[in-house]
Amino acid sequence: MRRARPRPRIRANSRAVAALALSTAALTALTACGAAPEEKAETGAKGVKFTEATSAADFGGFDELVAAAEKEGELNVIALPPDWANYGEIIKSFQAKYKIKIKSETPDASSSDEIAAVKSRKGQKRAPDVLDLGIAFARSGAAENLFAPYKVTAWDKIPDSQKDADGRWYNDYGGYVSIGCDAARIKNCPETFADLLKPEYKGKVALNGNPTKSGSAFGGVYAAALANKGSFGDIQPGIDFFGKLKKSGNFIPVESTPATVEKGETPISIDWDYLNAGYADQFKGKGVDWKVSVPKDGVYAQFYSQAINKDAPHPAAARLWMEYLYSTEGQNLWLKGYARPVLLPAMTEDGTVDKTFVAKLPAVEGTPTFPSSEELDKANTTLSENWDKAVS
């Protein structure tokens, strides 16, 4: 389940089948080995420790940051499925641009697994350097003081509403909750949440993970709430909707992944539009006719957030990774994966956006609005208390 990074999905993941057995317990149990020996902290040209650098200037400039990162030579990442929002190409491009090897672990981990790894592997060389998190986990992780403040070069172009004022996390890419459907198996594909209740979809509807752990599934429940007279401050109608969907037999407890889509096990998948749009490309010519629609009765958009582990074993490489993700090159690579980068408005204005990729984005009407921190916290609490009871 990718976040769901409550990838994932879609936060477009999007998870390898072999990794589906991954659990938070499995990550937290691996704490006995790999502890990093104590070493003298590296410092930049200004005498600032790499672990405390809050901008490229603290290294003496961008070139000095690159040199420091390449000297470290490695970057530990977690929960980044290659087929999620084009992460596969982003990782390859970063490694081709810089002399840094990326060690990618458990790509199908969730946001909660990422946080668990940060805590359980503190002081270890294999701790994750950077994190890609659902927004609720980014906020809670910052509150627990798990992240290092850092402001990328493009900091001023990121809208204030999409970043922590202190630089502990910042939104990067996002999309809309959508309904993906295999038209080769489903005669009439649903286009709204109301459609999903029809008897013809019995045993066909799935989410990308558990909404208490997966960001994409969380978004699906939030969108269902908006479609059923709920609000950002009241997610319960969404929980009730899936309870009703489960009772009717339409909702199945199978996590939607590329493998389940290709096999026809989840012919209708509620997921981020960039993941569903990616499936349409991925399975073209393989017997899957994947259609994507953003339900007009429940329009919900959300970004995923980036953060640096405060105790990152490769602090310079972690900061260079952030610079790359928020560069024009990095942001256009999100677009290539059908995700909407946070700098899209700024890049559209200055002409650096790739218009070819923009034209391929799933159509959406109106301008998205987002829940507040308090509303997200309330939604998470409500889900934790009521989800299992509704769908069990």
Side-chain angles (χ1 to χ4, degrees), residues 350-383:
D350 65 21
T352 58
V353 71
D354 191 315
K355 295 179 181 179
T356 301
F357 299 148
V358 173
K360 293 182 179 181
L361 293 175
V364 180
E365 296 180 2
T367 302
T369 56
F370 304 94
S372 66
S373 298
E374 294 74 20
E375 288 169 333
L376 283 169
D377 290 341
K378 182 180 178 182
N380 273 305
T381 299
T382 303
L383 267 173

Side-chain angles (χ1 to χ4, degrees), residues 24-365:
T24 301
L27 280 172
T28 56
L30 300 173
T31 59
C33 60
E38 290 190 9
E39 300 175 354
K40 184 178 179 180
E42 293 278 0
T43 59
K46 292 188 174 182
V48 179
K49 295 179 181 178
F50 290 176
T51 54
E52 298 175 0
T54 59
S55 70
D58 285 339
F59 289 85
F62 186 79
D63 290 343
E64 287 75 13
L65 168 58
V66 172
E70 292 187 334
K71 182 179 179 181
E72 291 175 346
E74 295 180 348
L75 178 74
N76 297 342
V77 303
I78 185 174
L80 303 185
D83 53 2
W84 178 283
N86 204 29
Y87 255 123
E89 184 172 354
I90 289 171
I91 289 173
K92 289 179 182 178
S93 297
F94 179 81
Q95 291 183 127
K97 192 178 187 73
Y98 303 110
K99 298 175 182 178
I100 298 171
K101 179 181 179 181
I102 291 182
K103 294 183 176 180
S104 180
E105 182 185 352
T106 53
D108 292 311
S110 66
S111 292
S112 60
D113 293 326
E114 293 183 73
I115 295 297
V118 168
K119 294 178 179 179
S120 66
R121 299 179 183 184
K122 183 176 181 179
Q124 297 184 23
K125 286 186 175 180
R126 61 197 186 89
D129 287 303
V130 292
L131 305 163
D132 177 309
L133 300 158
I135 183 62
F137 290 89
R139 295 179 191 275
S140 63
E144 293 184 71
N145 196 31
L146 299 178
F147 309 145
Y150 184 79
K151 296 183 178 181
V152 294
T153 302
W155 177 259
D156 290 341
K157 296 180 181 179
I158 303 173
D160 290 343
S161 61
Q162 304 295 342
K163 61 189 178 186
D164 171 63
D166 296 323
R168 294 171 298 177
W169 59 262
Y170 11 86
N171 290 340
D172 194 1
Y173 65 92
Y176 290 82
V177 168
S178 66
I179 299 174
C181 171
D182 186 359
R185 291 183 170 90
I186 304 296
K187 184 177 180 180
N188 298 303
C189 283
E191 296 184 350
T192 66
F193 279 96
D195 287 344
L196 295 174
L197 292 168
K198 295 178 180 179
E200 62 194 273
Y201 303 131
K202 188 171 184 177
K204 307 293 185 184
V205 184
L207 283 169
N208 182 355
N210 184 313
T212 64
K213 298 180 180 180
S214 160
S216 52
F218 174 86
V221 179
Y222 230 147
L226 298 178
N228 289 274
K229 300 181 179 180
S231 65
F232 287 150
D234 182 16
I235 199 174
Q236 187 60 46
I239 298 173
D240 295 339
F241 172 83
F242 277 96
K244 186 176 181 180
L245 207 62
K246 176 66 163 57
K247 188 175 181 179
S248 71
N250 289 18
F251 179 59
I252 54 177
V254 177
E255 178 185 346
S256 178
T257 69
T260 64
V261 168
E262 186 172 14
K263 294 176 182 177
E265 296 172 358
T266 55
I268 299 174
S269 176
I270 302 169
D271 209 340
W272 298 121
D273 60 345
Y274 51 88
L275 294 182
N276 274 326
Y279 292 163
D281 283 347
Q282 184 177 349
F283 298 121
K284 191 175 295 183
K286 296 183 178 181
V288 177
D289 184 13
W290 200 250
K291 304 297 184 182
V292 185
S293 61
V294 176
K296 294 181 180 179
D297 58 347
V299 178
Y300 178 76
Q302 193 56 269
F303 282 90
Y304 276 91
S305 308
Q306 302 291 339
I308 297 172
N309 181 359
K310 184 178 69 173
D311 299 303
H314 309 104
R319 287 156 173 79
L320 182 60
W321 171 253
M322 292 300 166
E323 293 286 357
Y324 182 72
L325 294 183
Y326 291 86
S327 68
T328 297
E329 180 178 342
Q331 294 282 292
N332 273 320
L333 285 174
W334 293 127
L335 265 178
K336 189 175 181 180
Y338 296 100
R340 293 166 170 81
V342 73
L343 297 182
L344 180 57
M347 292 169 62
T348 300
E349 184 176 344
D350 65 21
T352 58
V353 71
D354 191 315
K355 295 179 181 179
T356 301
F357 299 148
V358 173
K360 293 182 179 181
L361 293 175
V364 180
E365 296 180 2

